[in-house]
Amino acid sequence: MDTELDLDFKPTYDWCVKAFSLVKKRLGINICLHDDYDKFAEGDIYLFNHFARFETIIPQYLIHEETGQYCRCVAAGELFDGNESFANFLYGVGAVPHNHPGLLPFLAAEILRGRKVIIFPEGGMVKDRHVVGPSGEYSIFSPTAKIRRKHHTGAAVLALTVELFKQRVLSVFEAKEYARLERWAKALEMDTTEELLAVASKPTEIIPANITFYPIRASDNILSRSAEFFSKGTNPRLVEEILIEANMILKDCDMDIRVSKPLDVRHVWKWWEKRLLSRVFNQINSLDDFFKLSHAPDTLNEKIFKLCSSRGTNRLRDYYMDAIYTGVTVNLYHLASSLIRYLVLKKEARISKRNFHRALYLAIKSCQQKTDVHLHRSLTKPENYWSLNKGNSCDALVKYMSAEGCVEHIKEDGDYYLFDETVLEITSFNTVRLENLIRVYANEVMPIKEAVISVEEAYESIGDVGQSAFALHLLDDENLSLDCDRKTYTKPHHIEINLKETACAPAEPYLIVPENCRKTGVLLVHGLLASPAELYEFGREISEQGYAVMGIRLKGHGTSPWDLRDRHWQDWMDSIGRGRQILSAFVDDISLVGFATGGTLSLLEAAQNPDGISSVSAVSVPWQFKTSNLLFAHLAHGFERLSSWVPTLEEKGVFKEHPSENPEVNYRSVPVRTTYELHQLHEQLRDSLAKVSCPVKLFQGIEDPVVDAKGINEVFDLIGTKDKELIMVESEKHGILYENIGNCRQGILGFLETIDQKAVNQQEVIQKEQSEDRLYEEGGIG
């Protein structure tokens, strides 16, 4: 073996690992390792797909970071030619040229010594991500040979040979040939035969992993302009690579590395193949003997060995390529591209924007239920795609539609999208990432059959999915949003405040729809610091009277006070809007029932979005506060401005403790910022109350310890509707609805009954008028 491969590469390797750790923090790339099986550190051979040149340095860094071990990486031989200094540097970071003589025996010895080996079985960059052949088999296009070919089997040959040698070591030990074991241990630079036996006893494992980039951008950058200038336009391939790959590094880009289940190569052979392989074991005296047998068999036994070895190699290659390609981290661009491809193939390249967006939404919801689809984290956070369900676009889709490589194939005609048939055309391999990103993304997701099926079924069923089905999807999104928010606010600097909290009641939103429910539904809006659990018991009572009931969660609640600190009053209003959308799928009109700040929000919603709201019941509306801890509005405003200039204060945050009547439901810590939001909400309501036109019923405890009861009179006076009533309740508690003090629940139920009866009467009048009109028309015809 050449001296370059025998040199100690640890000093250079260590330096590069430290350098990359520093540089990574400055780059725009966000590397996320997904190791669901927690086996990443245990592999021997690591396999990755190849889309960008800088991918070849990432795996070594990750493996060293996770295991502390050193790696050998097979790199293109051309990189070692022409520049001795650069070649030595590559050797110094563990790289080995793919055309180096005796490569596989050297790598096998390295594995036996405990080092890791990294291989890219595609053999080169696959810029078009086209890996599924016409018959569904995996193959890739070779730009050099200009044909499609199967993936390289070098990794499979290496893994199986190492495993066979391990089995040979164990058989030699059983035969008590200790001298031979000592020679092999010495050749592998091991101190003892026990060390060799320990390695031989460990199964050889392959770790397949998929690298997915999101988003891929083709916008111009200074590096591409420099490359174009120096190449004078003679090397478009170089310009394309710098244009695409520099944007991955220099701009925010997610690099998701998903580790598949390790492949134990012992299970590749069938029992009879193992029996035949064992017939040639006695002829093996070194690793080189295994590789020679595979290349130039002479005897019948050797030919049988090669046949069995070849069958196992191809089988293993197919296993690990499937594991790599089905490990794609699916994002919105994948689903949109797959949908566009499907539409163009069906010759339905003109589609309404509403149907396209809603089909995309249904595809996302379907993929969320598929265990074989690994979704990008952006598709597990409903805020990123909520608007699609209404038939509107979302931020990520807008960026996708306008991206270079996409915009050339998409036209907008009013309320319709038109997709060009060039989406399906074979583009130049070296420029496809610039010219047709839709094709690249569609190709990449194609091995994920469940994702492709989800897209196609979503489009075909778009006309059959009713409002109630969409509503249930939206309810699921509300629960997903709760889970996301909980995970977001569990970082180390959140812990101190989180540990002080005593709220333990379920914070999930709820929907109760009785059979043959009334025409009026009820949306329950909880108070500040609480969660839907605050009004759940009352919601059950309401549903028993035949009303469909939705208990919405206001953003920032039911998770962590830190979450509430980051929310604005508009976020709470948006929560009510989503709750209305869900509930409206089952009823004609909605009555809002809100407690405390929930009452404030309900009145504001009735003023700003009155269509479909039949009434508002507001309890303990906080027009003026008694509690000193909640009198920080102007101070909070000043702190808000100050903290934006002082990062340490921004991160630390300021909270005031607030004793609660219901500690199992409410936060104990109040973010000072939130009191400013209350102040802003109060001002919005003051300016809007005159616009409230639906019937309103207010309830207020006379000796409320939190809210100044006198303020409710001003609220009552400002409300625009004449159909309004104020009930003062003898109580020293704030939570009069929670504890049903003064029978306020019965008061609300009676109010709801009146509202619903009015709706029924109006419907009967409308039906009677319609019936009379039909009779008149029929008589006229007669």
Side-chain angles (χ1 to χ4, degrees), residues 314-428:
N314 290 332
R315 199 178 296 132
L316 182 56
R317 185 263 317 276
D318 293 341
Y319 286 162
Y320 60 62
M321 293 316 302
D322 183 69
I324 289 174
Y325 289 137
T326 55
V328 170
T329 302
V330 178
N331 57 57
L332 183 71
Y333 289 15
H334 286 128
L335 300 181
S337 297
S338 185
L339 179 54
I340 292 172
R341 178 181 181 277
Y342 182 63
L343 291 169
V344 173
L345 284 172
K346 284 174 61 67
K347 306 295 182 182
E348 298 179 18
R350 177 183 171 88
I351 181 175
S352 73
K353 292 179 180 178
R354 175 180 173 81
N355 282 346
F356 184 86
H357 298 154
R358 285 165 72 88
L360 200 52
Y361 175 79
L362 290 175
I364 293 170
K365 296 307 298 178
S366 176
C367 286
Q368 287 174 350
Q369 307 302 316
K370 306 290 179 64
T371 56
D372 291 337
V373 180
H374 308 292
L375 287 177
H376 185 268
R377 47 201 166 277
S378 61
L379 293 185
T380 62
K381 187 174 183 179
E383 288 88 332
N384 294 322
Y385 60 81
W386 254 328
S387 55
L388 293 173
N389 79 82
K390 293 183 178 180
N392 301 322
S393 189
C394 62
D395 290 343
L397 187 61
V398 170
K399 292 178 181 178
Y400 167 82
M401 292 287 190
S402 60
E404 187 173 347
C406 294
V407 69
E408 299 89 336
H409 308 282
I410 302 170
K411 296 179 182 178
E412 296 188 37
D413 181 14
D415 294 331
Y416 289 83
Y417 289 127
L418 282 73
F419 303 115
D420 200 299
E421 290 187 0
T422 53
V423 167
L424 302 178
E425 291 181 359
I426 303 297
T427 312
S428 169

Side-chain angles (χ1 to χ4, degrees), residues 165 168 184 283-292:
F165 182 74
R168 176 62 175 144
W184 287 352
Q283 303 175 34
I284 303 302
N285 294 305
S286 69
L287 275 171
D288 287 332
D289 288 347
F290 277 109
F291 291 104
K292 290 176 183 176

Side-chain angles (χ1 to χ4, degrees), residues 662-676:
N662 306 298
E664 74 281 2
V665 172
N666 294 95
Y667 289 151
R668 178 179 177 179
S669 301
V670 184
V672 170
R673 272 189 179 184
T674 301
T675 60
Y676 173 66

Side-chain angles (χ1 to χ4, degrees), residues 122 125 139-149 152 429:
E122 292 167 333
M125 293 170 63
S139 62
I140 58 174
F141 176 73
S142 170
T144 305
K146 305 297 182 184
I147 58 171
R148 295 196 67 78
R149 61 167 174 79
H152 295 318
F429 181 84

Side-chain angles (χ1 to χ4, degrees), residues 128 186 205 228 236 279 328 378 398 496 506 534 537 548 572 705:
D128 61 1
K186 184 177 180 180
E205 291 188 330
E228 192 166 11
R279 293 174 60 177
V328 170
S378 61
V398 170
E496 182 180 354
E534 183 176 52
E537 184 181 330
W572 305 334

